[in-house]
Amino acid sequence: MAHVALADKGQELAHPKTWIGAYVWSQDHKVIGIQYIITATLVGLVALALSAMMRLQLGFPGVFDLIQPNEYYSAVTMHGMIMVVFMLTAFFLGGFGNLLIPLMCGARDMAFPYMNMLSFWVYLASVIVLCASFFVPGGATGAGWTLYPPQAITEGSAGSGMGIILMLVSLALFIVAFTMGGLNYITTAFQARTRGMTLMRMPLSVWGIVMATILGLLAFPALLVAAIMMLLDALLGTSFFMPAISDLGEVSSTTGGTPILFQHLFWFFGHPEVYIVALPMFGIASDLISTHARKNIFGYRMMVWAIIAIGGLSFIVWAHHMYVSGMNPYFGFFFATTTLIIAVPTALKVYNWVLTLWQGNIHLNVPMLFAIGFIFTFIHGGITGLFLGNVAVDVPLSDTYFVIGHFHMVMGVSPFLIVFGGMYHWYPKFTGRMLNDTMGKIHFWVTFLGTYAIYLPMHYIGILGVPRRYFAYGSLDSFPDSVHVINTSITIAALIVGTAQLLFIYNLVWSLFKGEKASSNPWRATTLEWQTPDTPPKHGNWGPELPVVHRWAYSYSVPGAREDFIPQTEEPSENTKGDVH
Amino acid sequence: MTATLIVLAVIMGGVVFWLIRQTLNVQPWAEEGPIGQDHASGPFSVQPAKVGLIVFLAVAASLFSLFVSAYFQRMEFGDWKIAPEPFVLWINTAFLILASVFYQLARNAVIKNQTAQVKSNLLIAGFFTFAFMGGQLWAWQEFHNSGYVLSGNPANAFFYVLTAVHAAHILGGLWVWSRTLFKLQSIVETRKVRTSVELCAIYWHFLLLIWLVLFALLLST
């Protein structure tokens, strides 16, 4: 049968002969994953630099004078869009997805390696187009990451010329790249698993990434539809979103368009997008916690169902971003209810992580520190989400720093902690060297405590009513002086945390050459990627024979077993009998 | 967003139902040994390419359903002026139905390994598809000449956008169609193109279905 040949096509893989074939135009999922990670990291650093400029402006207004108001708006927009789409989505799905899915499922490569390669190059093109928008006349778009029309394309607002056009083109390219990658992730996870790897033996990382891919494939078209229609509004004068606008006595040629339609389309993508980032984060966190607590994940089946349930529910909560746009009160009630319901499977996952830690043999190494730190930040960000999910609470808090504090905690800091945890965890497998432990611990503590110094005060000034997206606040009587003091302290904390990320980058490069040599399974983990014959795995991953899976991914501290972990590939024997309960 | 929600509810409902059923009574912690499939195949007994196509069709279904939802939402506003559809769309619809029929015949022939029939049916299917595309261009021309320009009214804009996005999907299909035809010229064994003929047939039926939905939408509003 054709599909059998696909899963075990060691001989059929085209092994590249040249350096360029192996590392540039590579069809190897590991190289593509690393290409994704490097690109996402670089563009993430751009976004980090933008936030430093914004914080300097807010913390010390008028002192540094690095950016003008229009550039501030561009910085706000680009920081948000880069971090959410081009950094986190690309990193989790393009990066970790590519690295982990074939290895964890026991496949030699992705189902369609050529399309996988194209996916990366189109992604790179989207990043280049996006970054080019900094340099066009009028600068990058300053419409906020939500790109709401009419402001986004109305003459006079920041980057309303070429800036917004390039942003929309870049997003369209990203969606094409994501679709090509996504077809691979799903087909590989469902069709190319090795013998014995049933769905319920897959590590939760794979579950999270695959479900996130399903969400992405169904939700990104909404953004594409919105982008196509906005491009037509901006370039060809249609009125999908653009209402009639009277500006200084001049009436625009557009008539009767509805910005609310854009908001629906944007958030129909935008809310699942939160879970496109969150589900891989949940999955990877589960694997980090279980491995480093030397204990099976608590409630594996419940964890899988929670991922599936969150995926399904994430499509019917989008309008909770639009309470202030005006809607039928019954709709508001509906969306508030679904928002609270989606918290149930999410909370269930949190309980299960904590219960996995309970009485585990916790190894406080760097990946584990990040995973435990993530539980804290995610609970904080999640709980404030419950506040904002209620219409009556959301309306006064809308567009204040409370919202900024909330979403940075829940989908900024939390996924980044897992990105870092995952990098410290899997770096040895893909480079053959360990990351430096001391630098890792400094990185963790500065980042973890620092983010609290940044985002907790934001909740406070948000409750005081300080609005987001302001270039400078001047001396408004309605804010107490503490707001200015807090803004300064947030900036100082942000600069320190930002610098700590450079230490991480330095560690990544330094360890590549000087890091301690890693054994093939340094964390004594059970999953398949740690059982490869070579470290780093060669093209084709598995040598002549594909691995055969004999058990689930979480056989840690099995009573009566020789060691405190049993690899998924180990055949059942007297020593492992304790595995059966 | 009702139209989108219905389409996505069907897709997500299918995914969730299937996944839950696969995972319901499984106790992975209690089982040992290489259980599950006999081969390194997936849970579906079809080729990976087919799974890839089906996933892509779900993406396309989501895209078109979002356009339809946007159409319904935009229609509610006062400036919407109903435009009469060019009559040629009826003829185009007939062309696309014929293209789909002949693609199905090509598929049936490829299963029976009848090279000559595969070739002729593929060519006819391609011919009708090109006729459809030409007819769509004609419809645009006619629509434009009657004064229904793109920026004139959102109803016109939607007409152009929906037909253009549909045509873009057909173009993608025609690219695969031309590659299949090219391969048929150069290789002896017909069964080597079997997958692409089979998958293209599914794709053509899907695009016909999408067109019928879009055409009905345009006619009824």
Side-chain angles (χ1 to χ4, degrees):
Chain A
M1 284 188 285
H3 43 275
V4 180
L6 174 107
D8 193 4
K9 58 175 185 181
Q11 311 81 320
E12 291 179 28
L13 284 178
H15 290 293
K17 306 257 182 326
T18 60
W19 186 87
I20 289 182
Y23 295 107
V24 182
W25 307 115
S26 174
Q27 301 187 23
D28 182 346
H29 71 97
K30 299 180 290 295
V31 178
I32 295 171
I34 292 168
Q35 287 171 329
Y36 256 111
I37 284 179
I38 292 174
T39 314
T41 307
L42 290 178
V43 74
L45 285 173
V46 172
L48 184 74
L50 291 173
S51 62
M53 294 207 293
M54 290 187 284
R55 277 322 313 180
L56 282 172
Q57 166 59 31
L58 291 173
F60 305 95
V63 176
F64 292 97
D65 225 18
L66 284 173
I67 46 176
Q68 301 307 308
N70 269 1
E71 292 160 353
Y72 179 85
Y73 290 129
S74 300
V76 169
T77 308
M78 297 295 274
H79 169 81
M81 192 60 95
I82 289 176
M83 285 298 195
V84 172
V85 174
F86 297 88
M87 162 69 210
L88 285 170
T89 306
F91 204 109
F92 273 122
L93 299 175
F96 283 137
N98 261 309
L99 289 181
L100 298 180
I101 291 174
L103 278 167
M104 283 185 157
C105 292
R108 293 202 183 278
D109 208 320
M110 285 289 182
F112 316 112
Y114 184 77
M115 190 156 53
N116 202 24
M117 175 185 77
L118 278 185
S119 162
F120 168 72
W121 290 101
V122 178
Y123 163 63
L124 184 66
S126 77
V127 169
I128 291 170
V129 170
L130 184 77
C131 291
S133 76
F134 282 114
F135 305 104
V136 294
T141 171
W145 90 281
T146 50
L147 305 179
Y148 279 3
Q151 192 214 342
I153 51 177
T154 300
E155 210 174 323
S157 57
S160 59
M162 277 305 282
I164 183 72
I165 305 290
L166 288 184
M167 167 65 86
L168 296 172
V169 170
S170 161
L171 285 172
L173 285 173
F174 182 89
I175 294 164
V176 172
F178 179 84
T179 306
M180 291 196 283
L183 292 178
N184 263 301
Y185 313 149
I186 292 182
T187 311
T188 308
F190 283 156
Q191 289 299 106
R193 298 194 309 276
T194 188
R195 188 163 169 240
M197 180 59 87
T198 58
L199 276 182
M200 288 302 264
R201 282 177 173 179
M202 294 199 303
L204 286 165
S205 296
V206 179
W207 272 107
I209 293 170
V210 167
M211 201 65 200
T213 308
I214 295 175
L215 294 191
L217 287 174
L218 296 178
F220 268 112
L223 187 62
L224 185 63
V225 169
I228 290 174
M229 290 174 25
M230 183 133 75
L231 274 174
L232 290 174
D233 274 7
L235 295 174
L236 297 177
T238 54
S239 315
F240 289 113
F241 305 134
M242 291 297 282
I245 297 172
S246 168
D247 181 23
L248 296 174
E250 267 183 64
V251 181
S252 68
S253 62
T254 52
T255 57
T258 162
I260 303 286
L261 172 58
F262 178 88
Q263 295 187 16
H264 276 296
L265 289 171
F266 182 85
W267 288 113
F268 197 83
F269 143 78
H271 199 82
E273 168 62 30
V274 174
Y275 290 96
I276 293 167
V277 173
L279 292 180
M281 156 177 103
F282 293 161
I284 293 171
S286 307
D287 283 351
L288 295 183
I289 289 170
S290 171
T291 306
H292 297 286
R294 319 304 297 161
K295 199 164 154 235
N296 63 351
I297 191 80
F298 188 93
Y300 173 82
R301 249 192 325 193
M302 235 194 278
M303 294 299 248
V304 171
W305 292 337
I307 286 176
I308 299 171
I310 292 170
L313 286 170
S314 71
F315 278 104
I316 48 169
V317 296
W318 81 91
H320 69 208
H321 297 272
M322 297 166 56
Y323 291 149
V324 289
S325 304
M327 66 169 76
N328 183 326
Y330 292 108
F331 284 167
F333 173 75
F334 172 80
F335 285 108
T337 310
T338 52
T339 305
L340 299 188
I341 290 174
I342 204 170
V344 175
T346 316
L348 193 148
K349 297 190 78 72
V350 175
Y351 287 125
N352 283 357
W353 291 320
V354 176
L355 287 167
T356 305
L357 290 173
W358 175 252
Q359 294 199 334
N361 178 10
I362 297 175
H363 291 43
L364 281 181
N365 45 32
V366 180
M368 186 59 151
L369 286 175
F370 276 105
I372 294 177
F374 151 80
I375 300 181
F376 282 89
T377 58
F378 185 70
I379 291 175
H380 283 125
I383 301 254
T384 49
L386 288 181
F387 292 13
L388 292 173
N390 290 286
V391 188
V393 186
D394 178 78
V395 169
L397 286 176
S398 216
D399 273 332
T400 69
Y401 266 85
F402 190 90
V403 178
I404 308 291
H406 155 68
F407 73 67
H408 274 89
M409 272 320 239
V410 80
M411 74 167 303
V413 177
S414 302
F416 266 104
L417 290 183
I418 291 305
V419 161
F420 296 140
M423 287 296 279
Y424 284 99
H425 186 77
W426 280 296
Y427 187 88
K429 178 47 66 182
F430 295 103
T431 61
R433 295 191 184 253
M434 308 293 286
L435 279 169
N436 182 289
D437 212 45
T438 316
M439 279 195 261
K441 285 193 169 138
I442 297 171
H443 177 215
F444 168 72
W445 286 108
V446 175
T447 307
F448 179 62
L449 297 178
T451 51
Y452 272 96
I454 298 170
Y455 299 111
L456 271 190
M458 284 191 187
H459 292 83
Y460 168 69
I461 62 173
I463 291 172
L464 289 180
V466 176
R468 67 193 280 202
R469 290 181 177 153
Y470 273 38
F471 173 70
Y473 295 98
S475 51
L476 289 175
D477 289 340
S478 50
F479 305 143
D481 284 342
S482 62
V483 167
H484 298 289
V485 180
I486 286 173
N487 255 331
T488 311
S489 83
I490 290 176
T491 297
I492 294 169
L495 293 176
I496 295 172
V497 171
T499 315
Q501 309 319 309
L502 300 182
L503 179 72
F504 171 62
I505 304 284
Y506 174 75
N507 193 358
L508 288 179
V509 179
W510 183 86
S511 301
L512 198 56
F513 303 101
K514 302 252 174 90
E516 188 191 329
K517 280 247 174 9
S519 64
S520 72
N521 190 359
W523 310 114
R524 300 154 54 75
T526 56
T527 40
L528 284 186
E529 79 274 23
W530 301 104
Q531 324 303 335
T532 54
D534 308 286
T535 299
K538 294 211 169 83
H539 192 201
N541 295 343
W542 303 108
E545 293 281 327
L546 280 177
V548 178
V549 171
H550 294 275
R551 58 179 48 72
W552 72 330
Y554 298 98
S555 298
Y556 289 106
S557 306
V558 177
R562 200 170 48 241
E563 291 191 87
D564 70 347
F565 74 106
I566 310 173
Q568 284 189 279
T569 49
E570 191 163 310
E571 286 180 33
S573 70
E574 286 308 306
N575 289 329
T576 62
K577 274 289 184 259
D579 199 18
V580 182
H581 301 290
Chain B
M1 305 296 277
T2 323
T4 309
L5 279 179
I6 293 169
V7 170
L8 285 192
V10 172
I11 296 173
M12 278 309 280
V15 171
V16 168
F17 173 77
W18 184 80
L19 283 176
I20 297 274
R21 227 187 47 166
Q22 292 284 314
T23 58
L24 203 54
N25 286 317
V26 186
Q27 294 183 318
W29 52 87
E31 295 154 340
E32 285 191 336
I35 52 160
Q37 313 85 28
D38 296 340
H39 300 287
S41 64
F44 313 109
S45 52
V46 289
Q47 311 102 310
K50 202 173 206 167
V51 176
L53 177 74
I54 290 168
V55 176
F56 179 74
L57 295 189
V59 177
S62 169
L63 181 78
F64 282 106
S65 71
L66 282 154
F67 270 117
V68 171
S69 273
Y71 188 93
F72 280 129
Q73 277 198 32
R74 189 64 185 82
M75 237 175 75
E76 302 292 316
F77 288 78
D79 60 334
W80 184 278
K81 281 192 213 110
I82 297 168
E85 286 71 29
F87 178 76
V88 68
L89 290 184
W90 285 98
I91 301 169
N92 295 348
T93 308
F95 282 148
L96 200 59
I97 292 173
L98 285 172
S100 212
V101 167
F102 278 97
Y103 232 119
Q104 184 63 31
L105 291 179
R107 183 197 159 272
N108 295 347
V110 87
I111 286 176
K112 291 182 203 139
N113 225 351
Q114 301 161 325
T115 313
Q117 281 92 326
V118 175
K119 259 188 218 171
S120 56
N121 284 322
L122 268 187
L123 276 172
I124 300 172
F127 169 77
F128 280 121
T129 313
F130 276 110
F132 171 81
M133 297 289 275
Q136 293 291 83
L137 272 181
W138 186 331
W140 273 27
Q141 190 70 37
E142 202 175 306
F143 202 60
H144 188 86
N145 290 348
S146 322
Y148 300 104
V149 292
L150 179 75
S151 57
N153 192 270
N156 311 350
F158 265 108
F159 172 80
Y160 288 109
V161 170
L162 293 178
T163 45
V165 173
H166 182 258
H169 282 76
I170 296 236
L171 276 182
L174 280 175
W175 182 67
V176 181
W177 168 83
S178 64
R179 281 183 32 151
T180 313
L181 217 56
F182 182 74
K183 263 194 260 175
L184 262 181
Q185 296 301 329
S186 54
I187 57 171
V188 194
E189 288 175 283
T190 312
R191 60 188 176 83
K192 286 201 172 159
V193 295
R194 180 169 162 171
T195 311
S196 54
V197 174
E198 275 184 284
L199 297 189
C200 272
I202 298 174
Y203 189 62
W204 251 253
H205 301 334
F206 173 79
L207 286 181
L208 173 64
L209 181 71
I210 294 283
W211 171 248
L212 292 178
V213 171
L214 294 181
F215 190 36
L217 177 74
L218 292 170
L219 282 180
S220 64
T221 54

